[in-house]
Every structure is written in C-alpha cells, then in structure tokens.
Amino acid sequence: MDKKIIVAIDGFSSSGKSTMAKALARHTGYIYVDSGAMYRAVTLYGMRKGVVSKENGVDAEALCALLPEIDITFVKDAAGNQRTIMNGEDVEHEIRDLEVSELVSPVAEIHGVRQYLVEMQQGYGKERGIVMDGRDIGTTVFPDAEMKVFVEASAEIRAHRRLKEMLEEGNHATYEEVLHNIMERDRIDSTRKESPLRKAEDAITFYNNEVPIEEQMMVLIKIFNERVKG
Ligand code: DC
C-alpha cells in the first residue's frame, strides 16, 4: 500500500503555490493547510485589538500575550474551497485585504508568533497525509517532508496574479500598490532572522511563469506518485 506523506510547498507570495497545493490536496484526498492564512489571522486579531497598526507598527510583546486567545481552524464551503475560521468567525475575506497584507510580514518576524504557529502546523501534520504551503514548511515546520517543492515566479507576474485575485474577491488596489507590497514582503520574508524564506536543499524548484495548472499538476502528481511508493 502507498504510504502517507507530507508535501511541503514553499515560495514567494503569489507565486501560485496555493493553487498548486490545493489542486494536489484535492487529487490525493490529503488535508490542505494554508500556513500564510494563519499568519494573516494573527495579524488581523492584533489589528482588532489595537496592537498591530500602520501608525504604530507591531507591539510584539502585547501580541504574543494574546496568542493563546487565537484559535484558527479551516472548513470547506459548499464549493469545496477552504475558508479560514478565527475564533468561530469566517475571516477568509478579511485576511486577504491589502491592510493585512501590509502588516503581516512584520508580524511573521516575531519569534513568539512563529513558535506558536509552527507548533500548531506540526500538530496538523502528525498523521501525515497533508499538503501545506508557506515559506518555511520544507525547512522548519516539516524538514522531514517526503516531497518538497519551491515555487518561483517573477515579481511582475506575481503582482498581476495577486491583483486579479483581489479584484475577484472585491478587494480594491492598484497594480503599483500590489507590486510594491509584493516586493516589500519578499525583502522582509527573505531577510528576516528566523526561518527566512529559502529553498530547502532537497526541494525541487518549480518555475511558475504562467504555467497552466493542468501542466503543473502533471509534474506534481508524477513526483507525488514516486514519493508515496518510497
Ligand atoms: O502566503 P501569504 O502571502 O498568504 O503569507 C502571508 C505572510 O505570512 C507572508 O508575508 C509571510 C508569512 N508567512 C511566513 O512567514 N511563513 C509561512 N509559513 C507562511 C507565511
């Protein structure tokens, strides 16, 4: 019988990694976890409590004290799309807006926040049979994942992709704002001290400059099938 594995998909923001991760989870029947949504939910909670803001930045100590109050789960809606639930409230839409996107990278730099969320993520993967996407899944969360993919795409392609998604979700922004946000997040995510975004040595690099999802899936399923056979 095939063994259950962990699939770690890391990459820059809006590289298309979550589309790939969701499609692979659907194909395999595995659980899908969007780790970025968890950092976004913590950011939103901090904003609501007034400890994360554009004006005053992030009060790390106050935010860490609030972490035990934040419960994050995922549910599927009728169309099979995953939605992020924070303390019983569906925050899927709100965590994607530009304000949260602008504040999430500094929140994700905080040691206490990372420790709290990494532990939660490792708990989700205890039974294996999971596809998780993020920045440090193959390096820190599941260094022993059997399948690791690192997704790359140019900043311009990623900005176009993100803007399209935002407009479809009813969140407004201009191309310049989105490109600036993406480049700024790349900088913070890849230069932060703890778990910076980097490719795990044993990850496969996937260049995703507008590769149709069907083609991506052919490649991913082939690798997946090899890995479950061990
Ligand atoms: O994938 P995303 O754009 O939704 O992620 C939002 C932010 O969360 C991103 O700027 C970096 C951070 N993040 C992280 O530090 N580690 C992860 N595993 C996932 C996301």
Side-chain angles (χ1 to χ4, degrees):
M1 209 178 88
D2 290 347
K3 61 176 181 182
K4 269 193 183 176
I5 65 166
I6 291 181
V7 182
I9 304 192
D10 289 303
F12 290 97
S13 49
S14 304
S15 55
K17 61 186 184 310
S18 64
T19 307
M20 292 164 66
K22 278 181 209 159
L24 188 64
R26 204 170 300 135
H27 178 85
T28 55
Y30 278 19
I31 299 165
Y32 164 64
V33 173
D34 171 359
S35 66
M38 299 168 77
Y39 288 92
R40 288 170 179 273
V42 167
T43 304
L44 178 65
Y45 194 79
M47 285 163 66
R48 289 185 179 173
K49 292 286 178 183
V51 299
V52 176
S53 70
K54 252 186 175 168
E55 300 72 35
N56 302 318
V58 183
D59 181 339
E61 208 177 308
L63 182 62
C64 288
L66 294 172
L67 290 171
E69 295 175 14
I70 313 175
D71 177 51
I72 303 165
T73 52
F74 297 98
V75 296
K76 273 193 186 158
D77 65 17
N81 297 317
Q82 189 168 280
R83 305 195 66 85
T84 309
I85 308 295
M86 183 178 78
N87 295 344
E89 178 190 347
D90 183 333
V91 291
E92 185 58 39
H93 182 72
E94 215 174 326
I95 59 169
R96 308 287 165 193
D97 73 21
L98 198 58
E99 212 182 336
V100 174
S101 299
E102 281 172 354
L103 290 165
V104 64
S105 279
V107 167
E109 282 187 282
I110 301 168
H111 172 72
V113 170
R114 299 206 73 82
Q115 205 177 20
Y116 184 75
L117 292 183
V118 166
E119 222 168 85
M120 208 184 267
Q121 290 153 7
Q122 288 171 336
Y124 295 148
K126 261 207 188 99
E127 314 282 321
R128 306 191 98 73
I130 188 168
V131 182
M132 191 176 292
D133 70 20
R135 303 291 191 288
D136 61 340
I137 311 306
T139 52
T140 305
V141 181
F142 298 120
D144 62 340
E146 291 82 354
M147 175 170 167
K148 297 182 186 177
V149 181
F150 191 82
V151 190
E152 286 193 12
S154 75
E156 289 74 18
I157 283 182
R158 290 185 287 129
H160 279 298
R161 193 180 282 140
R162 185 73 200 114
L163 180 64
K164 186 167 167 269
E165 277 168 15
M166 289 179 74
L167 296 178
E168 279 168 8
E169 288 161 4
N171 285 325
H172 291 284
T174 64
Y175 171 73
E176 285 71 26
E177 281 172 332
V178 175
L179 180 63
H180 177 266
N181 173 249
I182 279 188
M183 292 173 74
E184 187 56 15
R185 280 203 286 150
D186 285 0
R187 190 185 62 75
I188 301 177
D189 294 347
S190 49
T191 57
R192 71 171 171 235
K193 266 206 229 106
E194 190 167 336
S195 300
L197 170 65
R198 66 177 174 81
K199 178 180 172 292
E201 275 175 18
D202 50 349
I204 293 159
T205 304
F206 196 109
Y207 294 98
N208 188 21
N209 288 332
E210 318 222 66
V211 181
I213 184 72
E214 296 76 21
E215 259 176 59
Q216 296 172 11
M217 283 304 288
M218 272 165 49
V219 178
L220 291 178
I221 291 168
K222 185 168 174 287
I223 303 169
F224 177 85
N225 287 338
E226 285 164 11
R227 301 295 159 90
V228 291
K229 298 273 181 302

